[in-house]
Amino acid sequence: MQTIIDELKKTFKAELLVRNMPEAQGGVAYLRVGQKSVLDIMIALEEKGVVLIALFAVENFEGEGANLLYVFERRGAAQLMTLVVALKERRAISIAEHFPNACYFEREIADGFGIEFDRAFDKRRLFLHEVYPDGFHPLLKSFRNKPLALDLSKPSKDEYVFRECSGEGVYQIPVGPVHAGIIEPGHFRFSVIGETIFNLEIRHFYKHRGLEKLAEGKTPAECVAIAEAVSGDESAANATAFAMAVEEICGVTVPLRAWQLRTVLLELERVYSHLGDLAGMVLDVAYPLGAAPFFNLREEVLRQNAHLTGSRFSKRIIIPGGLKRDIAQSRLAGLGAYTNDFVGRLEEAVSDINASGWVIDRFETTGVIRKDLVVPLNLSGPTARACGAPVDTRLDHPYGIYRELRVEEYVKESGDVLARFYVKADEIKNSIRLIQDVLTR
């Protein structure tokens, strides 16, 4: 990444604002670039195979006005690069032609800040649905968070238009936004011929909560609860990410024991999240009996969480600086005893799925994701690893004590549901081994 940074400084007169950590340790290098150079820079970065991992707007980052921050990584390099672009007006050039995953970010910024992206191929609203008034941009500093009176008799002129698919035997099947289960509202528009889905459009954010605005003016301690509420069953990961940001800004060193305990909670969260996914996959092909063992294990892990932290989802314990309280050795010993026979029970549940040929038949060749989509769409986690891309933040950008642990990377090539099933099952076993390693320490 350093070579690319040097080239940008030389060719485009990019100015290095700050490097918040030595390159050998990763960290982020911030570069200020001119608005007129953005498109040429993106073309150059696209040719170098870097990955856009985030794009967001912020006001008053440097002086007054809006700034766009483009965050890039180069797979295999620990350091990140952030390009900072000051906007003279609330207009910018779309980079989605070169980095397709920017489309989602740009639509979010357009809704939140009122910044218009020229040459964008998709300008539909994202989280501001039709009931919101025109000219309403709730992430602006000038907006005051308060109840909003909506005039439902005057729908917005920006009606959301789904892609029309037509032809002999083509059916459009709408699902949602209200669902029978407990998932949040989302509208799914399937275009199908028989069982083959050849187009799917998803519209979410029916319950957009404006957490960024809610966090303005809050103390770091108050913001932890907001971070935990981003996604209920990833509260440990989100609380840790927020705490790490505060710790880096304040130059705080987290005690070793706190990082060890955080790692246990993070890996437990990975375990029960993956168990829920495995159960859901099996349930979705109408095999509830095969899903039951995964659901049982997930419930047991949630109870272990409750015993360790007082919360089934590890809430109200991770804070900037470490943990709010220690976890007793006796409770950690109980967790260690529980993990001793966990892997055997998991393998037994997976073996039952392997013995069910009709389940394998439904998983195999279904929902295939091609490896060449990983970089342009910035696919990550088990999704990327199941289609042949060795992407894992714990290895690519190690934090906490992950440098000291043996994180195994499980990669499959087929990119289908079966590959994702196996990758997640293997990762659960590795997470249990990581937890046992940390407990031994």
Side-chain angles (χ1 to χ4, degrees):
M1 185 64 82
Q2 185 58 47
T3 302
I4 295 176
I5 292 172
D6 291 339
E7 289 182 11
L8 293 181
K9 290 165 63 178
K10 179 179 179 181
T11 306
F12 299 100
K13 294 182 170 55
E15 179 185 354
L16 183 64
L17 296 178
V18 63
R19 189 195 310 279
N20 66 352
M21 202 180 298
E23 183 185 357
Q25 299 178 29
V28 186
Y30 290 83
L31 290 169
R32 183 195 291 118
V33 299
Q35 188 174 0
K36 294 181 179 179
S37 304
V38 168
L39 206 54
D40 291 332
I41 291 174
M42 296 305 160
I43 294 172
L45 292 177
E46 181 187 19
E47 293 174 350
K48 295 183 181 300
V50 299
V51 186
L52 177 74
I53 62 173
L55 163 58
F56 54 94
V58 63
E59 289 187 296
N60 307 335
F61 182 75
E62 285 191 301
E64 297 183 356
N67 287 264
L68 295 180
L69 278 70
Y70 302 80
V71 187
F72 292 92
E73 75 169 349
R74 190 171 197 171
R75 295 283 157 80
Q79 188 181 31
L80 301 177
M81 177 180 70
T82 297
L83 303 183
V84 181
V85 179
L87 301 182
K88 295 181 180 178
E89 300 177 358
R90 294 201 173 271
R91 300 188 74 89
I93 191 76
S94 171
I95 66 167
E97 181 180 341
H98 305 283
F99 295 93
N101 62 318
C103 173
Y104 222 59
F105 294 127
E106 290 173 356
R107 290 168 62 194
E108 181 182 26
I109 293 169
D111 280 5
F113 292 89
I115 296 172
E116 185 172 342
F117 287 86
D118 297 327
R119 297 176 57 174
F121 59 78
D122 188 351
K123 293 188 177 183
R124 294 176 296 179
R125 289 188 175 197
L126 188 70
F127 66 82
L128 295 183
H129 289 214
E130 287 85 348
V131 296
Y132 289 98
D134 295 327
F136 170 71
H137 303 293
L139 295 187
L140 293 173
K141 296 290 185 185
S142 57
F143 174 74
R144 293 292 173 260
N145 212 7
K146 60 183 179 179
L148 183 67
L150 300 178
D151 185 356
L152 301 184
S153 65
K154 294 178 62 178
S156 165
K157 62 183 179 182
D158 299 322
E159 181 181 355
Y160 194 93
V161 179
F162 287 91
R163 180 180 178 184
E164 289 290 337
C165 298
S166 59
E168 185 177 354
V170 177
Y171 290 86
Q172 285 201 353
I173 302 176
V175 179
V178 179
H179 300 271
I182 61 171
I183 64 174
E184 294 183 10
H187 181 77
F188 301 82
R189 186 71 62 91
F190 295 89
S191 296
V192 303
I193 298 179
E195 283 199 339
T196 301
I197 302 170
F198 64 89
N199 190 64
L200 167 63
E201 285 195 70
I202 303 173
R203 193 181 191 197
H204 280 152
F205 307 108
Y206 287 84
K207 288 188 176 178
H208 182 79
R209 295 167 290 164
L211 295 182
E212 300 98 322
K213 196 68 181 181
L214 187 62
E216 284 188 359
K218 299 286 194 301
T219 66
E222 292 171 325
C223 287
V224 173
I226 297 175
E228 290 176 335
V230 170
S231 178
D233 51 4
E234 278 82 44
S235 55
N238 288 320
T240 300
F242 176 78
M244 288 171 60
V246 174
E247 289 154 5
E248 186 170 314
I249 291 169
C250 298
V252 171
T253 299
V254 177
L256 174 60
R257 180 175 175 84
W259 258 122
Q260 290 172 329
L261 294 174
R262 276 184 183 179
T263 305
V264 168
L265 299 179
L266 289 169
E267 292 303 319
L268 282 173
E269 186 168 84
R270 179 181 296 268
V271 167
Y272 69 67
S273 293
H274 281 3
L275 285 169
D277 290 344
L278 298 185
M281 292 177 187
V282 177
L283 197 62
D284 282 347
V285 295
Y287 188 29
L289 184 63
F294 300 111
F295 278 131
N296 289 342
L297 288 170
R298 182 177 188 272
E299 173 60 26
E300 291 173 8
V301 174
L302 290 172
R303 293 182 183 185
Q304 288 290 328
N305 262 7
H307 186 62
L308 293 172
T309 69
S311 165
R312 287 164 60 87
F313 294 99
S314 299
K315 293 185 176 182
R316 299 178 300 280
I317 186 166
I318 296 172
I319 58 172
L323 298 183
K324 185 175 290 187
R325 57 189 175 278
D326 196 9
I327 299 177
Q329 287 298 115
S330 59
R331 300 196 175 193
L332 295 173
L335 173 63
Y338 169 74
T339 62
N340 288 334
D341 68 341
F342 178 95
V343 172
R345 293 169 60 198
L346 174 67
E347 290 176 338
E348 184 179 346
V350 173
S351 295
D352 178 60
I353 301 304
N354 286 331
S356 305
W358 60 276
V359 175
I360 301 299
D361 182 60
R362 300 291 282 176
F363 283 0
E364 204 167 20
T365 70
T366 298
V368 176
I369 299 175
R370 302 194 316 269
K371 186 177 180 179
D372 61 357
L373 292 176
V374 171
V375 169
L377 297 183
N378 184 32
L379 302 180
S380 59
T383 301
R385 294 191 282 276
C387 58
V391 180
D392 191 322
T393 300
R394 297 171 298 173
L395 293 170
D396 300 334
H397 307 285
Y399 54 94
I401 61 170
Y402 277 111
R403 291 180 187 276
E404 306 167 16
L405 302 178
R406 189 166 58 89
V407 178
E408 301 287 349
E409 205 160 39
Y410 299 96
V411 177
K412 301 291 182 183
E413 298 294 334
S414 58
D416 55 10
V417 173
L418 185 61
R420 293 191 282 277
F421 182 89
Y422 286 146
V423 165
K424 292 185 178 187
D426 287 337
E427 288 191 4
I428 291 171
K429 290 187 282 187
N430 184 233
S431 288
I432 293 297
R433 287 194 290 270
L434 293 175
I435 291 169
Q436 291 173 333
D437 184 7
V438 176
L439 292 177
T440 300
R441 295 167 182 236

